[in-house]
Amino acid sequence: MKKDFKFRTLDKFILNEIKGPFFYGLVAFSILLVAGGLLFKTAQLIVEKHVPILVVARLFVYSLPRFVVLTFPMSCLLASLLGFGKLSSNSELVALKSAGLSFNRITRPIVLCAVFIVFAMFFLNEAVVPMSEKAAQNVLRYEILHEQAPIFTAKTFFKEEEDGLIKRMFYIDIIDNRTKTMYNIVSQEFTEGVLTHIAIATRANWENGQWYMHNGAVFEIDTKTKNVQQLFSFEKQILHINLTQRQLIVSHDTPDEMTIPELIDAIKIKKQTGEFTGWHEMTLHMRFAVPWACLIFALLGAALGSRPQRSSSSVGLGMSVIIIFAYYVILSFSSAFGENGKVHPAIAAWSANVIFIFVSLKLCRKANALG
């Protein structure tokens, strides 16, 4: 019981050492990012475009979450770097190791705290950032650029495949984005890749969890003679399409405005319409990969900070900027390859993490051996 109490006291002590630098990093890096990009753009809108200040202020506030979330990995790096740098410079790390504690044990509260931040970042990326980005884009499109919200989506087609062969193909002339009604539908059914049936309808609606065609007819195609014969006409009939109403109405949002389920739906739809999905797939994998940089940087900062040297907060901030810059350079290059389809998006999204976790674990192993 006494030993557990000492360990809990030690964990609290280490967390107190990194708490201040972490919030300092959030503020400092947020200011750097906002001043470097967002602030310049908003000022440009006021001065050059003569956009009302209140509209620009709303755009600024809605855009903030995306920048703040990006500072989480940076702040984890700075916090562990400065926290362990202070422990090292005060010879407290030496004392802890002399008491029989390994570097791995000392870093345990850092790891647990970083994992918590990983999930917090994941939650913000999923619940807050898409909503704020959507609000920011709406202000930009409809209040600043004065674009009109699209009422109709014209000339859309989808295909369903099975074992590499086309099973069904759908052509939709117009989709009303307000009423979610489709007009002038052509449905083609294939058997072993050969067209056998065609159904046409003037419109289709979503009713009771199913698509229904109205006022149409079904035709059969003789696979040998290629003759077309009408089988029957109908007033209402089920449309066999493997997409829900939400999935079918293709969103005009960018990937940054989408949640993970929306990204998955968008990728599915774009594949069925024959569109390239590199940007969407890359964004999807990045949603999972980037938050784990918090844990990687926490370990890296602890390993670097434990070296026997004195580091001020300005030196720690500078070192953090250099490391983060290297990380995002690698991530930017790999993302470009992933979006263009030259590298699988999963590999592209996780490559920077793999490189830095390898370096972090190697430095942690070295720091542990020095004990």
Side-chain angles (χ1 to χ4, degrees), residues 97 102-105 107 299-300 302-304 306-307 354 356-371:
K97 290 181 179 180
S102 66
F103 180 79
N104 292 342
R105 174 59 189 86
T107 56
L299 291 173
L300 180 60
L304 291 174
S306 65
R307 294 180 301 172
V354 171
F356 274 79
I357 193 61
F358 175 78
V359 174
S360 300
L361 292 177
K362 187 174 182 180
L363 291 175
C364 286
R365 193 179 300 113
K366 185 177 179 180
N368 196 52
L370 290 176

Side-chain angles (χ1 to χ4, degrees), residues 7-8 13 28 32 60 94 101 123 127 148 156 185 187 190 198 214 222-223 255 260 281 295 302 307 314 355 366:
F7 281 157
R8 286 198 298 270
F13 170 72
L32 288 174
F60 181 85
V94 175
L101 294 175
F123 171 78
Q148 296 296 322
T156 305
I185 305 102
S187 172
F190 295 78
I198 297 176
H214 298 270
D222 192 305
T223 56
I260 288 176
E281 289 190 67
L295 175 59
R307 294 180 301 172
S314 60
I355 293 171
K366 185 177 179 180

Side-chain angles (χ1 to χ4, degrees), residues 22 107 132 210 234 285 287 370-371:
F22 176 78
T107 56
S132 66
Q210 177 67 58
F234 59 85
H285 289 289
R287 288 285 177 87
L370 290 176

